[in-house]
Amino acid sequence: MYYMSLSLGDFVYYETNFIKGEGVIIDLSEEKDIKTYLISIPEYNGDYKWIKYNNIKRKLDLSIENKLSTISNFGDWWYGFHKSIYQKLLIEAILN
């Protein structure tokens, strides 16, 4: 069986019984061998949704411009909480 390697700052596509969409991973929780990821969602101004590992369908292969564009549309509060993800993307943009 194939398991995706997911990290903070990865952009992913998810589907649950109720919603589907895209977002960026900002945290991980593992309880009783169940991995759950905290995803920042563009539709909610960067607010969060906990998504179980098996509901994450794939990592998104977005250009650095699309990644920066997505998180730049999050609320003003987002940068203060997630500087490391934003700065990692800025460094990636500079090096490309």
Side-chain angles (χ1 to χ4, degrees):
M1 177 174 246
Y2 169 76
Y3 290 98
M4 282 183 287
S5 173
L6 298 172
S7 303
L8 297 183
D10 283 346
F11 285 74
V12 295
Y13 174 77
Y14 60 88
E15 289 182 11
T16 71
N17 292 339
F18 307 106
I19 59 170
K20 58 184 173 182
E22 299 175 354
V24 59
I25 296 174
I26 59 161
D27 202 1
L28 160 70
S29 174
E30 190 166 358
E31 211 172 291
K32 298 181 183 176
D33 295 329
I34 298 173
K35 287 185 182 181
T36 308
Y37 293 88
L38 190 60
I39 310 287
S40 248
I41 301 171
E43 292 81 15
Y44 299 116
N45 204 25
D47 207 354
Y48 315 123
K49 174 87 176 141
W50 284 104
I51 304 289
K52 291 182 182 175
Y53 174 84
N54 60 342
N55 290 324
I56 296 177
K57 302 306 178 188
R58 66 182 180 277
K59 279 200 250 185
L60 297 174
D61 185 24
L62 302 175
S63 69
I64 188 62
E65 295 85 2
N66 284 342
K67 291 176 183 180
L68 287 170
S69 176
T70 297
I71 64 172
S72 70
N73 287 314
F74 290 167
D76 294 338
W77 58 272
W78 198 90
Y79 175 78
F81 287 100
H82 308 292
K83 289 180 205 171
S84 62
I85 292 172
Y86 190 73
Q87 290 170 351
K88 177 184 159 194
L89 292 173
L90 288 176
I91 291 168
E92 184 181 336
I94 291 168
L95 295 177
N96 282 332

